Amino acid sequence: MRQSAISTAACLQRRPQQTGMDRRRSMATVAPPVTQDATSSKGPTAMVFMNMGGPSKTEDVGDFLSRLFADGDLIPLGRLQNYLGPLISRRRTPKIQKQYAAIGGGSPIRKWSEYQSTEMCKLLDKMSPETAPHKPYVAFRYADPLTEEMYTKLLEDGFGNGKGGRAVAFTQYPQYSCSTTGSSLNELWKWRNRLEGKQIDGTIRWSVIDRWPVHPGLVEAFAQNIEAQLATYPEADRKDVVLLFSAHSLPMSVVNRGDTYPAEVAATVYAVMQRLGFNNPYRLCWQSQVGPSAWLGAQTSDTVANYVARGQTNLILIPIAFTSDHIETLYELDQEVIHEAGHLGVKRAESLNGSPIFIQALADIAVAHLQSGESCSRSMGLRCQGCTSQRCLETKKFFGGEHAISIL
């Protein structure tokens, strides 16, 4: 890791514990922790990785798509959601099953999420012994393990049920969107209410790591993967290789509502280019559009096709909003966009996956959060300008703690 990232990690580890943790001023409840032991004054701590998820087997694709298209936060279909969602998912299932078969029979996102969370917790036990032991959990929005399964496991493991305990919902979307992190938090809030009810005493105390788009460790991990791919080009050509940062697109109806995702993705891109010294031309593009409605562009596939047609055939695709491989990288980018480009100079930077630098960054982010005493970021307490969702309002009130005062 470069010096800037190392210095940041070191500073985070040296930072003294702040008094906010002791005041419990912004946690969702004020219940005591589950247990105490000789090395831990505030542990154990559940670290819950939230992500979209993906079907582990081709036979799981139908259920995955049914849940995905039923989610109006991700794919808003209005009053026809309950009718169009199942219809679209049924029609798309055979095609998507073939795509998952082409990448090995299922998504690797569960494998990577479980690995990343487990390795991060090992680091946390050393870096933050006062909140140890740290227990890894994964909560997917549309595939196993679903949020309901995760929450049930938390209760079985001794959290809640009158015993209290602390849990951190750690989004694995570095850039916040109401359609991704927001949707996962809505689901978490729903199952918290169903499984723990309206009681206060002895329930799980939740806090949220809701965004981290320019963390130095994240930036360093992306930069090193880009540098590794740049090194595969002849030295004389490297400075002219175009870097194409690709992120999952959003419907323009979500963007125009005021969603912060496009700005936060752009912030990540700029931070990575700054770390690389702006030595290459670059663009940000968007992938995975679904349906006929307007989505954020320019589309990744069109961008590559247009540059190749103009004679620019040295391109590196960088999945800038994904923390591991899944269908969008292994199939959409590798087997569609790059294959259809038809030029050996069109390549992709490796995904973060098991990068030690990335896993250290996750631990650094978690330590800073645990020591801060904050329930969430300041930005999470503010709704999008055009938001009218009552569920979003209630979720933010619950997780936002004292920051909820800024909710309008």
Side-chain angles (χ1 to χ4, degrees):
M1 186 183 295
R2 295 288 179 125
Q3 186 61 40
S4 61
I6 295 173
S7 298
T8 299
C11 289
L12 290 176
Q13 293 179 48
R14 290 196 301 267
R15 182 190 297 179
Q17 180 119 354
Q18 298 180 17
T19 57
M21 282 287 292
D22 298 323
R23 292 195 301 269
R24 308 287 199 267
R25 60 192 175 99
S26 59
M27 296 295 105
T29 74
V30 293
V34 179
T35 61
Q36 306 290 335
D37 60 41
T39 62
S40 171
S41 61
K42 298 181 177 67
T45 305
M47 302 300 298
V48 180
F49 272 29
M50 300 187 306
N51 210 331
M52 177 181 293
S56 297
K57 306 183 297 295
T58 54
E59 52 263 39
D60 297 335
V61 169
D63 289 340
F64 170 76
L65 292 179
S66 293
R67 297 185 189 105
L68 188 147
F69 282 100
D71 183 9
D73 292 324
L74 179 67
I75 302 176
L77 299 173
R79 291 176 297 177
L80 297 177
Q81 190 92 36
N82 292 336
Y83 170 75
L84 291 177
L87 179 64
I88 296 171
S89 65
R90 285 195 300 270
R91 288 185 174 180
R92 287 180 62 85
T93 292
K95 175 184 176 180
I96 304 303
Q97 283 179 325
K98 292 179 181 179
Q99 293 180 1
Y100 276 103
I103 64 169
S107 172
I109 192 171
R110 180 171 184 172
K111 175 190 75 173
W112 285 122
S113 296
E114 291 176 343
Y115 175 81
Q116 291 164 347
S117 61
T118 298
E119 294 303 305
M120 180 198 71
C121 284
K122 292 177 183 178
L123 293 175
L124 287 180
D125 285 346
K126 298 176 182 177
M127 297 167 65
S128 183
E130 65 273 16
T131 54
H134 301 87
K135 299 185 177 182
Y137 297 85
V138 172
F140 285 154
R141 184 65 180 84
Y142 312 113
D144 294 334
L146 295 165
T147 305
E148 175 187 7
E149 299 171 43
M150 177 280 300
Y151 216 115
T152 301
K153 185 71 164 56
L154 276 178
L155 298 175
E156 292 173 351
D157 287 350
F159 293 86
N161 286 327
K163 301 176 183 177
R166 180 175 187 182
V168 178
F170 192 167
T171 182
Q172 292 306 292
Y173 306 101
Q175 306 91 2
Y176 184 91
S177 173
C178 296
S179 63
T180 53
T181 299
S183 177
S184 289
L185 289 174
N186 287 340
E187 189 76 356
L188 179 59
W189 176 73
K190 179 183 79 175
W191 284 107
R192 186 270 175 197
N193 289 340
R194 289 187 180 181
L195 297 177
E196 294 201 86
K198 301 298 183 180
Q199 60 181 320
I200 298 298
D201 294 338
T203 56
I204 298 170
R205 293 183 294 108
W206 285 96
S207 63
V208 181
I209 301 173
D210 52 89
R211 69 197 74 207
W212 34 285
V214 293
H215 186 274
L218 175 70
V219 171
E220 184 66 23
F222 276 128
Q224 290 200 15
N225 284 354
I226 293 168
E227 289 174 329
Q229 191 62 276
L230 278 170
T232 66
Y233 293 86
E235 186 173 359
D237 298 336
R238 286 175 198 165
K239 64 180 177 57
D240 296 320
V241 175
V242 175
L243 305 182
L244 294 179
F245 295 88
S246 185
H248 201 296
S249 187
L250 277 183
M252 287 306 297
S253 60
V254 177
V255 175
N256 292 335
R257 191 173 63 212
D259 198 283
T260 62
Y261 175 75
E264 294 191 14
V265 173
T268 307
V269 171
Y270 191 87
V272 172
M273 288 307 304
Q274 192 170 44
R275 156 63 179 80
L276 294 171
F278 295 100
N279 289 326
N280 290 81
Y282 71 99
R283 287 293 184 272
L284 170 58
C285 45
W286 308 88
Q287 65 180 91
S288 310
Q289 175 177 328
V290 178
S293 63
W295 284 59
L296 186 63
Q299 287 292 305
T300 302
S301 56
D302 294 341
T303 299
V304 171
N306 289 340
Y307 279 133
V308 168
R310 297 173 192 171
Q312 176 53 264
T313 58
N314 286 341
L315 309 167
I316 296 179
L317 289 161
I318 303 114
I320 198 64
F322 305 117
T323 56
S324 71
D325 275 323
H326 44 83
I327 192 76
E328 284 86 354
T329 59
L330 297 176
Y331 188 85
E332 186 176 353
L333 293 183
D334 291 354
Q335 298 191 33
E336 288 189 332
V337 175
I338 293 177
H339 176 74
E340 291 171 8
H343 287 271
L344 295 178
V346 181
K347 305 178 183 182
R348 177 172 69 86
E350 185 179 351
S351 297
L352 298 177
N353 293 338
S355 163
I357 295 171
F358 174 63
I359 293 171
Q360 181 65 56
L362 293 173
D364 292 343
I365 293 164
V367 167
H369 176 77
L370 291 168
Q371 292 181 349
S372 73
E374 298 291 335
S375 60
C376 61
S377 74
R378 296 293 298 180
S379 291
M380 187 179 150
L382 184 66
R383 299 171 76 190
C384 293
Q385 299 94 307
C387 179
T388 59
S389 169
Q390 185 66 27
R391 181 173 59 171
C392 174
L393 174 62
E394 296 302 321
T395 298
K396 285 180 177 289
K397 283 182 178 179
F398 177 77
F399 290 110
E402 69 171 11
H403 297 329
I405 62 173
S406 64
I407 296 176
L408 300 176

